[in-house]
Amino acid sequence: MQKILMVCLGNICRSPLAEGILQSKVNSNIVSVDSAGTAAYHIGKLPDGRSIEVAQKHGIDITKQRARKFVVKDFDEFDIIFAMDDSNYQNILSLARNNTDEQKVRMILNETHPTKNLSVPDPYYGGNEGFENVYKMLDEACDIIADNLS
């Protein structure tokens, strides 16, 4: 089974959306998707209500997810680790123990814009339209990821 981890800062906005979107596009018998945050702000909490709302609008339920912190053991558990932005990418790499760990970490928007290292903007402090924009970016990236996994 291929195991994919989506990572943002608090694991309540972007990475839960990415997890839900990718899960909706892959065969769960072949691909497992999870998410985490590099900060421990929201451990055990539901995704942000605006993320839940935008996911539901697109037919995806992320209400079973709970925020958790990224840990070093995640390098052992997952085949690919997608960071939502450069700051989180650097935070993940700072925990890498070796080159094998480092090779697992990727910027998610490099799927749609190769080698540009673009960041998925954090919609937390913005309005609902920010969540819809993030959804669209992640949906495009997850289409490519799903295609590559099948």
Side-chain angles (χ1 to χ4, degrees), residues 1-7 70-84 88-89 92-93 95-108 110-111 145 149:
M1 176 169 295
Q2 188 86 337
K3 294 178 124 194
I4 311 298
L5 184 64
M6 304 295 191
V7 183
F70 180 86
V71 293
V72 172
K73 188 174 190 271
D74 287 327
F75 287 113
D76 301 325
E77 297 290 320
F78 294 93
D79 302 300
I80 304 171
I81 300 166
F82 285 106
M84 299 295 128
N88 289 296
Y89 180 81
I92 297 164
L93 285 182
L95 297 174
R97 301 160 294 189
N98 52 46
N99 190 263
T100 303
D101 288 355
E102 290 174 4
Q103 295 304 311
K104 293 181 176 189
V105 186
R106 303 177 188 173
M107 293 282 286
I108 195 165
N110 279 349
E111 299 299 314
I145 295 165
L149 292 172

Side-chain angles (χ1 to χ4, degrees), residues 9 13 24 58 79 90 100 105 113 125 127 133 140 143:
L9 182 62
C13 294
S24 76
H58 294 278
D79 302 300
Q90 297 303 327
T100 303
V105 186
H113 300 86
Y125 294 106
N133 291 339
E140 281 182 43
D143 277 341

